[in-house]
């Protein structure tokens, strides 16, 4: 992000993540996305009189795991609080959240931008319930869908350690990845499972005091996060240079114009009158509880990357690609376990499978064992790399093939020709039948050798051992 | 009619031995309601048809030897803030005038599971706010012992109906004395249990950390049988206590009170307590001594903060609990409005009475920024000090004895000009709500106008057993 007039941006992010528990935080309704309106709600999540919230234990477990994955301290004593305000998507006219004793605090997440690592502090993580959805209809007016009321959320608040949109996007991407690996959310931004609020202020580089910050809520794509930050950064600087003061307020990001707009005053002034939730007793987490949850978290991407580099000699860049999604990482580990060359496996996985296979359902068209088997054949020179790609392509286009790769190679006669005598015969035959090309070679055109090699590959359907073929070709040519 | 004045236990024996049928019994009660309720005004809804049908089913069970519980076939009534599936539940408010809940309160379900017969829903001060039932949006309830006088509140309909033999027992709710005070005013017995011992699920919330469903009955033994039926842990109420079911047994009661230590706090025996009431308590103390108990006067200075702490906290919680009544999903919605703010304002202005509005305003104020520490936080500290003081007293005594109210019932209209005058009547009862300890009110005499006076027995948490033992022994002694 380009700095303007020596001002730095001071950015903190509040990210809301929907937990993928089967049921809501305070009642037994389903949390599944996409159901017809008001079909996944009950008197409790609709705030009917006399109903009471009962805390879903799994929500606490998921939130603690999120905290552990983000290097946080976990509160031993914690409670819920009521945040009181009126809005049609909030049935009880209060949200049950956490005020002064959040479940997790004092954590950090390392991000990498332009090869540099930076630790972004995490102030706190707390649990709370989601509100419903308002849908505006021209004829009917505002419609309320209560399906989302009571869906469990964690709110992850970062320290204002972020100073550019690049860092902000890297932070959200990494956060998403860690949350998915930890198994607590599917983080589908297009389904609203991860929502980002940006808090931004500016100050002159070197200045220690913080400027007035504004908040931009509900940015649901990396693109919008970038645009909103860029625009707001510029807007604040322009205002300050013109002698205006920045008003502390919540602003709305307009996707069409790419600008932020001030929201009505009313939406800014809210005294939430927090007080402890009397319907849910405060609770305690023991060291044992926390330790048991820690053991349930699978190895996170950062650690996996290091493992791949250390154990398999894979490059940082490749390791980053392999850990970009958990299903890719799990697949790689499964295939690499007994593979003769994990490095080769990583290579082929990245250049071929990831590029061409349909992975929309997060499963690979070829089993990890079969993939490993193809790599092993390459390592053993049973097939060469171009054959390997051909075989891989076959498996990708025919998912569900039962035949194992070595059988397939054998039955289709795809095995590499490693026999020197056999190769000599083929190459000699080609040379005898290509006098013009041989003459070109003799007159110094090096491309001719390549062309001859091409003919060898063509004649052998790509099965010639390239190293041996080249050796033999060269030795014949030199003796002509 | 004599049938109407038998206790639940006597009626239970008569039903079991087929001396009477539930249909006969229920019909007798319904006839009495029809005869007397136009002047008493205890009932808001009478469920005559359902009652007869349930009575018939009870008689069938008796005939086949499969009675569910001693209360099988016994007619009872419920305060109208206890939700009953399919039956209008108004909370004495225009806001819920036509509200029919699609669920029943756990306590209501439990009584029904015993086979008891629901006669109808009882009048109350709107949302539980009031001490005379004069704040009902629908009608006034009169004290059956003298119809110019109040029956007490907010469970005035409950105490009046039991005193007038319109129901054998009733379930009410007690937040600051709303079961015990009306019981005292009408000369019947009322229990507020240990907080968490009767589920609050389905009880429309007024002040969540104080509210408890309570039992109003003609006698102490009756009270205990009903408490047996409705007490115990409920998974739908996170504040309900494990292992809290009370089991009725004749062994609880005894002919004497040897070894029982009773304390009488001076702070609730001073000039603020009417002479007639103090006199009645002094006579009762003599009775207790005769029965073998040790009675001593003590001082609990923290009691002087109780009324203020109570009103601050209960108003704060009420302002939050009643925010859900916004005209959006259920309840009264104004016919005239432009936009959401007017929808809220008009619906709530039209739906709530003045006492409710007063409490909401007070509650919002004490929680708001700048005042929270001074009022709400201070009140909670005072509450903790009161709890500690009572715990200390209970380390040396088994029961704390006080008058239930500073005066006997007063005339209708007498305390409507100054709300604080009415609030002062709660001075003896609020400590049990602030601390969560159980308290039982039993009749102990009459004032010079012939109106009943009640004495209050407060016990340790979960020690209703001792209260029942002491109360029943006393009741027997004074009924001779």
């Amino acid at each position: 992000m380009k700095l303007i007039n020596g001002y730095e941006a001071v950015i903190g992010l509040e990210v809301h993540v929907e937990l993928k528990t089967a049921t809501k935080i305070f009642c037994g309704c389903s949390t599944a996305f996409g159901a017809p309106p008001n079909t996944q709600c009950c008197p409790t999540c609709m705030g009917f009189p006399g109903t009471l919230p009962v805390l879903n234990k799994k929500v606490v477990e998921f939130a603690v795991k999120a905290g552990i994955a983000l290097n946080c301290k976990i509160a031993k004593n914690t409670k819920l609080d009521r945040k009181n305000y009126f809005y049609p998507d909030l049935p009880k006219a209060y949200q049950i959240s956490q005020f002064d004793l959040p479940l997790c605090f004092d954590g950090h997440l390392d991000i990498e931008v332009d090869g540099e690592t930076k630790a972004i502090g995490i102030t706190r993580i707390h649990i709370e319930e989601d509100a419903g959805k308002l849908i505006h209809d021209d004829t009917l007016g505002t419609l309320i869908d209560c399906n989302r009321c009571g869906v469990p959320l964690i709110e992850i608040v970062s320290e204002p350690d972020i100073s550019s949109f690049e860092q902000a996007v890297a932070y959200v991407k990494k956060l998403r990845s860690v949350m998915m690996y930890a198994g607590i959310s599917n983080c589908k931004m297009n389904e609203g499972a991860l929502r980002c609020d940006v808090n931004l202020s500016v100050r002159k580089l070197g200045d220690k005091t913080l400027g007035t910050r504004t908040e931009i809520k509900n940015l649901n794509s990396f693109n919008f996060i970038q645009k909103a930050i860029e625009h707001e950064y510029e807007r604040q600087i322009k205002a300050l240079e013109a002698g205006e003061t920045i008003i502390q307020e919540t602003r709305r990001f307009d996707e069409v114009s790419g600008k932020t707009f001030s929201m009505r005053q009313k939406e800014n002034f809210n005294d939430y009158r927090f007080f402890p939730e009397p319907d849910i007793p405060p609770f305690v987490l023991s060291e044992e509880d926390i330790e048991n949850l820690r053991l349930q978290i699978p190895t996170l991407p950062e650690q996996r990357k290091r493992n791949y580099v250390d154990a398999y000699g894979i490059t940082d860049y490749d390791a980053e690609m392999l850990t970009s999604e958990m299903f890719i990482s799990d697949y790689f580990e499964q295939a690499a376990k007994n593979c003769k060359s994990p490095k080769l496996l990583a290579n082929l996985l990245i250049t071929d499978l990831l590029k061409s296979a349909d992975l929309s359902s997060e499963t690979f068209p070829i089993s990890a064992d079969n993939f490993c088997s193809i790599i092993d054949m390459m390592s053993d020179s049973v097939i060469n790399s171009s054959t390997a790609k051909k075989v891989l392509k076959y498996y990708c286009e025919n998912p569900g093939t039962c035949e194992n790769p070595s059988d397939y190679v054998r039955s289709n006669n795809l095995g590499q020709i490693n026999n020197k005598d056999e190769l000599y015969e083929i190459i000699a035959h080609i040379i005898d039948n290509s006098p013009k090309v041989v003459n070109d070679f003799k007159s110094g055109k090096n491309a001719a050798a390549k062309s001859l090699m091409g003919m060898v590959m063509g004649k052998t359907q790509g099965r010639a051992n390239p190293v041996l073929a080249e050796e033999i070709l060269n030795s014949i040519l030199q003796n002509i | 009619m004599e049938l109407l004045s038998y206790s639940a236990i006597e009626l239970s024996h008569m039903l079991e031995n087929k001396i009477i049928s539930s249909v006969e019994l229920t019909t007798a009660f319904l006839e009495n309601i029809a005869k007397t309720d136009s002047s008493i005004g205890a009932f808001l809804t009478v469920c005559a048809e359902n009652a007869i049908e349930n009575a018939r089913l009870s008689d069938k069970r008796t005939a086949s030897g499969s009675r569910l519980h001693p209360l099988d076939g016994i007619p009872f009534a419920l305060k109208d803030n206890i939700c009953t599936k399919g039956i209008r539940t108004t909370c004495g408010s225009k806001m819920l005038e036509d509200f029919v809940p699609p669920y029943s309160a756990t306590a209501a379900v439990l009584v029904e599971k015993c086979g008891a017969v629901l006669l109808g829903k009882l009048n109350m001060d709107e949302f539980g706010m009031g001490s005379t039932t004069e704040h009902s949006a629908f009608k006034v309830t009169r004290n059956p012992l003298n119809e110019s006088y109040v029956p007490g509140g907010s469970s005035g309909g409950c105490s009046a109906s039991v005193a007038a033999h319109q129901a054998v027992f009733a379930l009410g709710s007690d937040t600051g004395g709303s079961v015990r005070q009306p019981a005292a005013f009408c000369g019947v017995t009322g229990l507020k249990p240990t907080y968490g011992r009767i589920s609050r699920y389905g009880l429309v919330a007024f002040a969540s950390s104080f509210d408890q469903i309570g039992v109003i009955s003609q006698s102490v033994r009756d009270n205990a049988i009903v408490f047996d039926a409705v007490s115990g842990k409920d998974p739908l109420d996170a504040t309900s206590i494990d292992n809290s079911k009370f089991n009725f047994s004749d062994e609880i009661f005894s002919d004497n009170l040897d070894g029982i230590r009773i304390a009488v706090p001076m702070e609730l025996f001073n000039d603020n307590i009417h002479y007639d009431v103090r006199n009645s308590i002094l006579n009762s103390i003599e009775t207790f001594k005769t029965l073998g108990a040790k009675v001593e006067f003590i001082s609990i200075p923290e009691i002087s903060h109780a009324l203020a702490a109570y009103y601050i906290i209960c108003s704060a919680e009420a302002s939050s609990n009643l925010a859900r009544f916004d005209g959006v999903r259920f309840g009264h919605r104004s016919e005239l409005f432009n936009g959401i703010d007017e929808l809220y304002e008009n619906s709530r202005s039209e739906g709530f009475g003045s006492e409710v509005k007063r409490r909401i305003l007070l509650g919002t104020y004490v929680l708001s920024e700048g005042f929270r520490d001074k009022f709400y936080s201070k009140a909670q500290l005072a509450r903790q000090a009161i709890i500690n003081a009572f715990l200390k007293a209970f380390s040396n005594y088994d029961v704390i004895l006080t008058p239930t109210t500073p005066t006997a019932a007063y005339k209708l209209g007498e305390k409507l000009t100054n709300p604080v005058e009415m609030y002062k009547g709660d001075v003896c009862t609020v400590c049990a709500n602030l601390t969560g300890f159980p308290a039982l009110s039993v009749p102990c005499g009459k004032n010079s106008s012939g109106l009943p006076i009640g004495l209050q027995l407060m016990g340790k948490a979960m020690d209703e057993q001792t209260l029942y033992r002491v109360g029943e022994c006393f009741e027997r002694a004074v009924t001779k």
Side-chain angles (χ1 to χ4, degrees):
Chain A
M1 183 162 105
K2 225 161 157 230
L3 282 192
I4 299 173
N5 294 349
Y7 282 93
E8 69 168 344
V10 178
I11 301 166
L13 297 182
E14 284 167 22
V15 178
H16 288 88
V17 179
E18 276 183 9
L19 304 180
K20 64 174 188 189
T21 53
T23 56
K24 294 183 178 181
I25 188 173
F26 298 124
C27 66
C29 293
S30 166
T31 55
F33 180 82
N38 296 315
T39 54
Q40 277 172 196
C41 48
C42 70
T44 301
C45 54
M46 289 183 76
F48 270 61
T51 58
L52 294 171
V54 179
L55 183 57
N56 178 347
K57 281 204 187 86
K58 278 265 175 274
V59 171
V60 178
E61 289 177 13
F62 277 38
V64 170
K65 283 200 226 180
I68 293 170
L70 293 171
N71 307 295
C72 294
K73 299 194 179 85
I74 309 297
K76 298 292 186 318
N77 290 299
T78 189
K79 65 174 166 69
L80 293 158
D81 299 284
R82 289 191 188 179
K83 181 177 182 182
N84 298 280
Y85 64 96
F86 284 90
Y87 205 66
D89 66 0
L90 195 64
K92 296 188 295 296
Y94 57 85
Q95 177 197 36
I96 302 178
S97 175
Q98 292 191 284
F99 179 51
D100 54 342
L101 287 182
L103 197 51
C104 319
F105 56 99
D106 276 4
H108 66 92
L109 181 65
D110 293 339
I111 59 169
E112 215 179 274
V113 177
D114 294 333
E116 274 184 36
T117 311
K118 185 175 183 183
I120 306 297
I122 289 176
T123 319
R124 54 182 276 158
I125 304 177
H126 71 254
I127 56 177
E128 60 184 24
E129 55 178 341
D130 208 345
K133 268 207 191 110
L134 296 181
I135 296 150
H136 302 283
D137 179 282
D138 288 332
T139 346
L140 299 166
T142 303
L143 307 170
I144 306 170
D145 176 9
C146 292
N147 283 353
R148 207 180 62 180
C149 296
V151 165
L153 296 175
I154 45 170
E155 180 175 330
I156 303 169
V157 181
S158 83
E159 291 286 322
D161 293 342
I162 295 167
S163 44
S164 68
F165 72 75
E166 290 93 347
Q167 288 176 19
V169 170
Y171 173 82
V172 179
K173 281 190 170 154
K174 189 79 182 283
L175 192 66
R176 244 188 117 241
S177 175
V178 172
M179 291 297 100
M180 291 194 292
Y181 271 76
I184 66 150
S185 174
N186 62 37
C187 292
K188 289 185 182 164
M189 288 168 85
N190 59 345
E191 288 183 2
L194 189 145
R195 295 165 235 160
C196 189
D197 298 344
V198 168
N199 290 293
L200 188 151
S201 66
V202 299
R203 66 181 173 191
K204 285 278 189 179
L205 277 162
D207 205 349
K208 292 294 175 199
T209 48
L210 289 168
T212 309
R213 63 176 160 86
T214 58
E215 181 182 20
I216 307 158
K217 290 184 89 74
N218 277 326
L219 298 163
N220 294 336
S221 77
F222 301 122
N223 190 20
F224 295 154
I225 292 171
Q226 172 177 340
K227 287 208 162 70
I229 289 174
E230 280 180 319
H231 175 263
E232 186 59 16
Y233 171 67
E234 271 181 47
R235 187 195 74 83
Q236 286 196 15
I237 292 172
K238 269 207 185 85
L240 287 172
E241 306 253 281
E244 292 164 27
T245 37
I246 307 294
I247 307 165
Q248 180 170 336
E249 59 174 354
T250 302
R251 295 176 71 85
R252 188 180 55 81
F253 175 73
D254 178 57
E255 299 166 12
V256 174
S257 63
K259 296 189 175 157
T260 63
F261 290 92
S262 189
M263 288 170 96
R264 282 173 10 214
Q265 252 330 95
K266 195 128 196 267
E267 275 158 28
N268 279 306
F269 175 69
N270 260 312
D271 178 0
Y272 296 116
R273 302 185 301 286
F274 283 100
F275 69 95
E277 172 57 76
D279 291 332
I280 300 173
F283 51 98
V284 161
L285 291 163
S286 68
E287 286 291 1
E288 208 188 318
D289 293 330
I290 297 167
E291 189 53 34
N292 286 336
L293 290 169
R294 182 189 308 276
L295 295 170
Q296 289 176 29
I297 302 173
T299 315
L300 296 173
E302 204 54 59
Q303 185 59 51
R304 291 194 194 204
K305 264 194 334 199
R306 275 198 290 274
N307 292 347
Y308 300 165
V309 170
D310 292 344
Y312 300 138
I314 287 168
T315 64
D316 279 344
Y317 180 81
D318 283 0
E320 179 74 41
M321 300 243 42
L322 292 171
T323 53
S324 62
E325 301 274 344
M326 189 165 162
F327 78 96
I328 297 172
S329 178
D330 285 343
Y331 179 81
F332 170 69
E333 287 178 15
Q334 179 67 19
K337 230 181 357 191
N338 300 312
C339 184
K340 292 180 180 171
S341 175
K343 204 162 174 193
L344 207 52
L345 188 147
N347 210 294
L348 206 63
L349 176 57
I350 291 166
T351 56
D352 274 63
L353 263 191
L354 290 187
K355 288 221 169 75
S356 55
D358 173 18
L359 302 174
S360 52
S361 60
E362 294 190 356
T363 45
F364 285 85
I366 173 175
S367 77
D369 287 342
N370 280 349
F371 190 48
C372 168
S373 160
I374 294 176
I375 304 299
D376 284 350
M377 284 194 281
M378 266 174 79
S379 303
D380 294 338
S381 291
V382 172
I383 54 176
N384 59 32
S385 67
S386 73
T387 307
K389 287 180 201 249
K390 271 208 201 97
V391 176
L392 190 59
K393 188 163 182 233
Y394 171 78
Y395 274 88
C396 285
E397 286 164 5
N398 300 280
T401 303
C402 299
E403 204 177 6
N404 74 49
S406 17
D407 288 341
Y408 176 78
V409 163
R410 211 171 308 124
S411 60
N412 288 283
N413 201 25
L414 296 172
Q416 190 165 246
I417 300 171
N418 294 318
N419 184 302
K420 283 190 183 160
D421 296 333
E422 204 181 329
L423 283 172
Y424 184 91
E425 241 193 84
I426 294 166
I427 293 168
H429 184 84
I430 286 172
I431 286 177
D432 288 344
N433 288 315
S434 319
K436 188 165 186 299
V437 187
V438 172
N439 274 331
D440 285 343
F441 175 76
K442 279 201 193 144
S443 37
K445 288 182 185 161
N446 284 328
K450 280 208 170 74
S451 164
L452 286 167
M453 198 51 186
M455 284 188 247
V456 174
M457 282 306 182
K459 191 74 199 262
T460 60
Q461 292 110 33
R463 288 163 53 224
N465 180 322
V467 173
L468 290 177
E470 186 149 353
E471 254 179 56
I472 294 167
L473 179 64
N474 285 337
S475 75
I476 296 177
L477 287 173
Q478 265 156 31
N479 293 327
I480 285 180
Chain B
M1 204 177 141
E2 227 187 38
L3 192 58
L4 301 170
S5 39
Y6 284 117
S7 72
I9 293 183
E10 287 163 334
L11 290 169
S12 188
H13 287 144
M14 289 160 76
L15 286 167
E16 204 172 347
N17 295 308
K18 302 182 181 107
I19 297 169
I20 51 161
S21 71
S22 179
V23 170
E24 270 180 74
L25 188 60
T26 303
T27 307
F29 275 93
L30 288 169
E31 277 171 5
N32 194 30
I33 293 168
K35 195 172 88 182
T36 59
D37 210 44
S38 47
S39 49
I40 293 174
F43 280 84
L44 289 174
T45 302
V46 178
C47 313
E49 269 174 45
N50 282 348
I52 297 291
E53 182 50 35
N54 285 326
R56 212 170 274 140
L57 291 169
S58 174
D59 287 333
K60 263 204 179 128
R61 287 191 293 269
T62 304
S64 64
S66 51
R67 280 176 66 76
L68 296 163
H69 186 272
L71 293 176
D72 201 330
I74 304 280
F76 76 104
L78 293 169
K79 185 174 181 181
D80 212 16
N81 59 356
I82 296 174
C83 288
T84 40
K85 183 173 177 176
I87 302 170
R88 197 174 74 127
T89 300
T90 69
C91 299
S93 178
K94 284 220 181 76
M95 186 59 89
L96 294 178
E97 188 165 4
D98 300 311
F99 176 66
V100 179
Y103 46 87
S104 282
T106 298
V109 172
L110 289 171
V111 184
E112 265 173 70
K113 279 210 171 109
C114 292
V117 175
L118 179 66
L119 293 168
K121 309 299 291 294
L122 298 165
N123 199 20
M124 54 183 284
D125 283 301
E126 190 177 357
F127 286 109
M129 300 175 190
S131 306
T132 60
T133 309
E134 289 167 301
H135 291 304
S136 164
F138 304 113
K139 55 160 89 168
V140 156
T141 302
R142 296 166 187 282
N143 193 319
L145 300 163
N146 185 329
E147 295 185 3
S148 312
Y149 286 75
V150 301
S154 58
S155 311
C158 295
S159 56
S161 67
V162 171
H165 304 300
Q166 295 175 332
V168 178
F169 68 90
L171 291 183
S173 71
D174 190 310
T175 304
S178 291
V179 155
R180 293 161 284 154
Q181 181 252 39
F185 278 13
C186 292
V188 290
T189 300
L191 172 84
K192 181 205 81 74
T194 307
Y195 182 83
R197 234 178 149 174
I198 296 180
S199 171
R200 286 186 300 119
Y201 180 81
L203 169 66
V204 180
F206 158 11
S208 314
S209 71
F210 296 147
D211 292 345
Q212 275 294 280
I213 288 181
V215 182
I216 293 180
S217 61
Q218 287 183 47
S219 69
V220 176
R221 278 190 190 242
D222 277 6
N223 205 289
I225 294 247
V226 179
F227 186 48
D228 172 281
V230 297
S231 57
K233 168 86 180 168
D234 182 12
L236 295 174
D237 175 357
T239 59
S240 73
I241 305 173
D242 288 322
N243 305 315
S244 60
K245 163 101 174 51
F246 172 81
N247 295 309
F248 179 95
S249 153
D250 286 318
E251 319 275 284
I252 291 169
F253 309 107
S254 112
D255 290 330
N256 64 67
L257 298 176
D258 293 340
I260 296 286
R261 305 159 300 166
I262 302 177
V264 184
M266 296 296 308
E267 288 77 12
L268 296 174
F269 205 80
N270 53 25
D271 290 338
N272 290 328
I273 307 295
H274 191 276
Y275 173 78
D276 285 349
V277 175
R278 268 183 289 147
N279 228 17
S280 185
I281 297 293
L282 284 169
N283 289 336
S284 306
I285 289 174
E286 288 315 303
T287 306
F288 283 119
K289 284 182 175 165
T290 311
L291 291 167
K294 208 170 72 170
V295 185
E296 284 169 4
F297 280 88
I298 63 168
S299 172
I300 306 180
E302 289 81 358
I303 288 177
S304 63
H305 302 302
L307 206 57
Y310 169 76
Y311 272 97
I312 287 170
I313 299 169
C314 83
S315 303
E317 294 185 358
S319 72
S320 178
N321 284 326
L322 267 61
R324 68 190 63 204
F325 299 106
D326 54 15
V328 175
R329 294 165 314 292
F330 56 82
H332 174 73
R333 181 193 280 202
S334 178
E335 309 211 336
L336 303 152
F337 60 90
N338 268 320
I340 188 69
D341 290 337
E342 278 189 28
L343 172 67
Y344 287 155
E345 286 167 16
N346 296 353
S347 302
R348 288 166 70 79
S349 298
E350 292 162 18
F352 289 142
S354 58
E355 182 60 30
V356 169
K357 287 175 183 161
R358 186 174 296 122
R359 305 271 184 120
I360 291 173
L361 286 168
L362 181 61
T364 308
Y365 180 79
V366 300
L367 284 174
S368 51
E369 198 163 314
F371 301 103
R372 186 180 187 271
D373 288 338
K374 189 167 148 182
F375 294 112
Y376 179 80
S377 306
K378 264 261 174 70
Q380 290 284 30
L381 287 171
R383 181 181 186 175
Q384 192 57 52
I386 293 165
I387 292 171
N388 294 342
F390 272 82
L391 281 172
K392 193 155 154 241
F394 278 122
S395 65
N396 297 314
Y397 297 94
D398 306 301
V399 172
I400 291 173
L401 167 69
T402 76
T404 304
T405 51
T407 67
Y410 37 85
K411 285 214 167 111
L412 288 155
E414 197 177 305
K415 302 232 171 158
L416 287 178
T417 42
N418 184 348
V420 180
E421 281 308 307
M422 199 188 278
Y423 297 167
K424 284 182 184 171
D426 296 338
V427 70
C428 303
T429 46
V430 293
C431 284
N433 302 90
L434 285 161
T435 59
F437 299 146
L440 181 71
S441 176
V442 294
C444 66
K446 297 221 155 87
N447 72 356
S448 48
S449 312
L451 288 157
I453 294 170
L455 66 77
Q456 173 178 251
L457 303 166
M458 286 179 65
K460 298 175 189 162
M462 298 289 283
D463 198 17
E464 282 83 345
Q465 186 164 308
T466 300
L467 299 183
Y468 281 141
R469 177 189 167 189
V470 173
E472 194 270 350
C473 193
F474 174 82
E475 174 193 84
R476 235 182 317 144
V478 301
T479 317
K480 285 198 193 107

